[in-house]
Amino acid sequence: MKIDILTLFPEMFETIFSQSIIKRAIIEKKVEINIHNFRDFSTDPHHKVDDTPYGGGRGMVLTCQPIFDCVEKLKTKESKVILLTPDGNVYKQQQAYELAKEKHLILICGHYEGFDDRIRSICDLEISIGDYILTGGELASMVITDSIVRLLPGVIEEQSHQLESFNNNLLDYPTYTKPRVFKGMEVPAVLLSGNHKKIEEYRKLESIKKTKARRPDLLEK
Ligand code: ADE
């Protein structure tokens, strides 16, 4: 998979994509991630990328030209263009599975007070990572990239994501490691029993209990 990210702040991505699982996925060529500063595409003599809003109002608005030209250069028939915006569809694990099947994603990070609404016309999807306002789409694009890259074949053990939270609309069961007792808190005896059927039943039940208590909305699905 190839992921192109359009931003005015390329440095923000340096640490995130050079650590841990994403770093390994890049080295092993499971994913190619390119960061583009769309200011480089501005035809303005001063490389301006924003202007005042028509009709008046606060702040500056990202202009169409640099983003249109950057997308135009990167886009192929296989591309899915995604705008990160708080008024997009709220991102869920299910969408991560769907996007992980794509060949090429172009993620556009908005910034400042907003962007010219005509930018939406070149986007296939608009995604929000939650009902809160970030200073820009950068963190949102990192979240989306991270959640997709870990699902790409060979990046992490397939079994790990079959059992994780949100699969089958259930939250993950609790896990423990050594020592068996820590500050008086004991690991549930069933996990030490060696009885795999009992362990499986226990985990399923704990998943359901946790989901009921924390996310009853998931069980309704
Ligand atoms: N840009 C600002 N806030 C955002 C959010 N919640 N999701 C995606 N992009 C954003």
Side-chain angles (χ1 to χ4, degrees):
M1 170 183 278
K2 183 163 136 184
I3 304 178
D4 285 299
I5 301 177
L6 278 59
T7 172
L8 291 175
F9 302 95
E11 293 85 5
M12 282 178 77
F13 294 84
E14 280 166 16
T15 47
I16 296 286
F17 295 154
S18 60
Q19 311 285 328
S20 183
I21 292 170
I22 307 228
K23 173 187 174 181
R24 203 180 62 215
I26 294 169
I27 291 172
E28 291 174 0
K29 301 205 178 337
K30 305 282 191 324
V31 66
E32 177 189 329
I33 303 176
N34 306 302
I35 312 294
H36 307 271
N37 187 341
F38 58 84
R39 191 181 294 283
D40 298 339
F41 288 77
S42 173
T43 53
D44 178 83
H46 305 291
H47 299 287
K48 233 169 90 120
V49 288
D50 54 6
D51 217 323
T52 52
Y54 277 121
R58 280 179 307 112
M60 299 292 272
V61 175
L62 291 175
T63 56
C64 290
Q65 179 273 317
I67 291 177
F68 269 64
D69 286 0
C70 188
V71 169
E72 175 80 5
K73 186 184 156 212
L74 298 169
K75 202 176 158 159
T76 69
K77 278 196 207 92
E78 293 184 322
S79 311
K80 197 139 242 175
V81 181
I82 301 172
L83 181 66
L84 286 321
T85 170
D87 58 10
N89 280 327
V90 178
Y91 194 59
K92 297 270 164 60
Q93 183 63 27
Q94 185 52 40
Q95 195 167 18
Y97 291 126
E98 282 158 24
L99 292 177
K101 294 181 200 141
E102 297 289 337
K103 290 211 160 60
H104 182 209
L105 301 177
I106 299 176
L107 306 180
I108 305 174
C109 307
H111 225 274
Y112 303 147
E113 304 295 327
F115 46 81
D116 190 307
D117 216 70
R118 290 166 289 188
I119 289 170
R120 297 184 200 270
S121 71
I122 54 166
C123 299
D124 301 300
L125 296 168
E126 296 180 20
I127 296 180
S128 160
I129 60 161
D131 290 341
Y132 41 80
I133 311 290
L134 301 165
T135 53
E138 281 73 16
L139 288 170
S141 72
M142 290 176 206
V143 166
I144 286 168
T145 301
D146 187 285
S147 67
I148 291 169
V149 171
R150 63 187 291 286
L151 296 177
L152 297 177
V155 172
I156 56 173
E157 249 184 278
E158 205 97 340
Q159 221 200 352
S160 314
H161 34 86
Q162 276 162 20
L163 296 174
E164 66 205 3
S165 281
F166 303 116
N167 255 325
N168 312 316
N169 287 317
L170 286 176
L171 297 180
D172 211 355
Y173 52 75
T175 54
Y176 301 87
T177 185
K178 294 173 186 76
R180 196 179 63 76
V181 184
F182 183 73
K183 291 190 190 285
M185 294 180 283
E186 285 188 33
V187 172
V190 59
L191 296 177
L192 311 169
S193 68
N195 183 334
H196 294 292
K197 192 163 173 279
K198 276 237 165 76
I199 293 174
E200 205 179 305
E201 281 167 10
Y202 158 83
R203 285 177 166 167
K204 184 85 195 231
L205 196 67
E206 287 301 313
S207 258
I208 294 170
K209 276 204 305 211
K210 194 201 267 185
T211 313
K212 231 182 205 162
R214 298 185 179 189
R215 294 291 305 274
D217 58 301
L218 290 177
L219 285 180
E220 279 157 25
K221 291 177 190 161

